[in-house]
Amino acid sequence: MNENYDVIIIGGGHAGCEAALATARRGLRTLLLAIRLARVAHLPCNCSVGGPAKAQLVREIAALGGAMPHIADAAVTHVRMLNTGKGPAVQAIRMQVDKTLYPQLMREVLDAAPNLTLREGEAVGLLTTEGTVMGVTLADGSAIGARAVVLTTGTFLNGVTFIGDQTKPEGRYGEPPATRLSEGLLAVGLRLGRLKTGTTPRLRADSIDYTVCEVQPSAETPLWFQFGWQRPDPPSSTEMEARGLGHPCHITYTTLETHEIIRRNLQLSALYGGLITGRGPRYCPSIEDKVVRFAERERHQIFLEREGWDSELVYPMGISTSLPLHVQEEFLHSIPGLERAIIVQPGYAVEYDFIPPEQLWPSLETKAVHGLFSAGQLNGTSGYEEAAAQGLLAGINAGQYLNGEPPLLLRRDQAFLGVLVDDLVSSGTEEPYRMLTSRAEHRLLLRQDNADLRLTDIGHALGLVGADDYARFCAKRAAIEAEITRLQATSPGDAGIDGAGLANAEEWLRRPESRYSALRPAEMGEEVAEQVEITVKYAGYIARQHKQVVQQLRLECRTLSPEIDYRSIRALSREGAEKLARVQPLTVGQAARISGVTPADISILLVWLRAHDWKNVSRETPTNLYGKM
């Protein structure tokens, strides 16, 4: 080996970018290896970031010091707050970004990062010694040494694209796949599966009749993924106007004629024609799937999203397809506003290898090979946000591994990222996993607005949140605490409100009809005011969820050793023993969340642990990066 690095990141998508920046910024010599550097941070599907549950992930990336929120804010073309008629637990920012500007800005950040080298090349294998990764081999025959490797290959492992019965070996449209690395992963003991995803055709903007479409304007008030303490300089009035009044989004709908055309040509679809074997995403189905699965629906909504400030391409969200090009044209022309639409790039499906994620520890390190981490779509997820969040965590834990420090293990009550990882490693997935607010049992605690209060201390401890930003964050937190204390010490009379029989202004604010605007000091910032009002108004619900968390932590406090032979515990059900042996849970709490492990199995396991006084089972609260939970 002519070269050696501390960490090699394989893949330059959203997971790879976050992983590379996380390790490089912590002083580790990092190599980002991509098949085509010109496509680093590319947005191969839609041009949006955020949405329900996904916005929470992006805000958590911001709190931990990741790059995606900063880049998205700088490249925004349209932004809205979703679910404003519902509670704060499910409200979410959804932002459309310039598809050319976003990767350009990310590449600038990567190029400027100290300790980070970018290189084109295809990894084809892993170098290991006694179960520990030592580097990678490349297609040109060379080898590069590394003490840790992070796999972020997206849809490129043995990727095949489908348009009708036309198939090509591609990681995504027009890009070559990684055809040999799968063999390298199998060689080190990893199992692989097969998944499928897809995207919509791209349309020429000037071929669309917007006059018959509904208009969805961008929010008039600017919305940001970064927190205020990460943006110390207020944006200029021009920037505010551009961000608040960006490209409008347009809405149209499929018709009964559309559905009939699709049904008539289903046998020509790669999905229904039997060419695709991998499972597709349940929550982002193709238009073929929608027409078949929801046959009673007379129409399906389509969002027409411009791909950039100067782009002439439109992304019609909602009609992902693998039908032949001539059928795509036919059904598009049956949709109001798209009667003369010109397809610039056809919709297609892509099938690829993935690592069933129960083969990973919660740190995202593989169980088969020490020092080998995996993140993003390779772990069976879908979406830019899920990939970026995993990449950040994998990069953080690769650094922890190399520094001989405990991994960062996020709990389900700490972060949506904790829910995401726990779902993957405990239950695995047989279809592309998408983050949903319904997956988080403590979602009132895991709002997008309080991600910094939950995670910024960790980001600072890791060195990913700088001193100046952290000082501003601490000032925000102190301001929230001081204002709540003031409300508790202020009588209704002193506050100038009608609060007869109430002890203080805080009790008055808890009333559903009360508004904080009547109490808010004029100089108070929006983020502080938002936290004060939510904290006070939802205090009872939040306290109830905290109580549930404490109860669940009793199981999380019982750690389990990977050395336990579950098949020898005869009282366990056969399925329970098999699932426990495969997943190797780190806590009894994680064991209880494994599909197929029953409450009876958990009771038996607890009895067995007490009876055997298992030496490696701690009765203390487990520790991670920042100490006891």
Side-chain angles (χ1 to χ4, degrees), residues 3 28 40 108 158 184 197 257 260 266 270 277 280 291 296 299 303 330 340 354 360 366 416 449 506 562 616 622:
E3 296 179 78
L28 298 170
V40 163
E108 291 174 3
N158 281 330
T197 189
E257 182 186 358
E260 177 55 33
L266 273 177
T277 59
V291 168
E296 73 285 358
R299 65 179 192 173
F303 290 86
E330 185 180 0
R340 297 170 182 258
F354 82 108
L360 308 175
T366 65
F416 263 83
D449 60 82
E506 182 188 41
N616 287 328

Side-chain angles (χ1 to χ4, degrees), residues 10 83 98 106 190 219 272 335 422 440 442 507 515 614 624:
I10 301 177
N83 297 329
D98 188 303
M106 183 66 82
L190 289 166
Y272 284 90
I335 296 170
D422 184 66
H442 307 299
E507 286 192 11
R515 294 293 175 264
W614 185 259
N624 61 12

Side-chain angles (χ1 to χ4, degrees), residues 582-594:
R582 186 173 70 182
V583 175
Q584 296 176 278
L586 297 181
T587 69
V588 176
Q590 184 188 356
R593 293 188 293 272
I594 298 172

Side-chain angles (χ1 to χ4, degrees), residues 29-61:
R29 293 185 63 245
T30 302
L31 173 65
L32 175 60
L33 190 66
I35 293 178
R36 291 179 60 186
L37 286 179
R39 305 296 272 179
V40 163
H42 180 53
L43 302 162
C45 196
N46 63 30
C47 50
S48 72
V49 176
K54 293 171 176 284
Q56 284 86 332
L57 286 173
V58 181
R59 277 286 180 86
E60 289 173 0
I61 294 169

Side-chain angles (χ1 to χ4, degrees), residues 362-436:
S363 63
L364 298 182
E365 184 181 15
T366 65
K367 296 173 182 176
V369 182
H370 295 301
L372 178 64
F373 296 79
S374 178
Q377 282 186 274
L378 181 60
N379 291 348
T381 60
S382 67
Y384 308 144
E385 304 85 352
E386 290 90 338
Q390 290 177 74
L392 179 58
L393 184 64
I396 288 170
N397 283 329
Q400 296 298 103
Y401 166 81
L402 292 179
N403 292 331
E405 297 172 347
L408 173 60
L409 305 179
L410 294 171
R411 303 191 311 273
R412 296 181 69 91
D413 62 288
Q414 281 182 298
F416 263 83
L417 178 51
V419 175
L420 166 64
V421 171
D422 184 66
D423 282 352
L424 291 174
V425 303
S426 298
S427 301
T429 187
E430 295 180 352
E431 61 188 34
Y433 176 103
R434 178 178 179 175
M435 194 71 247
L436 304 169

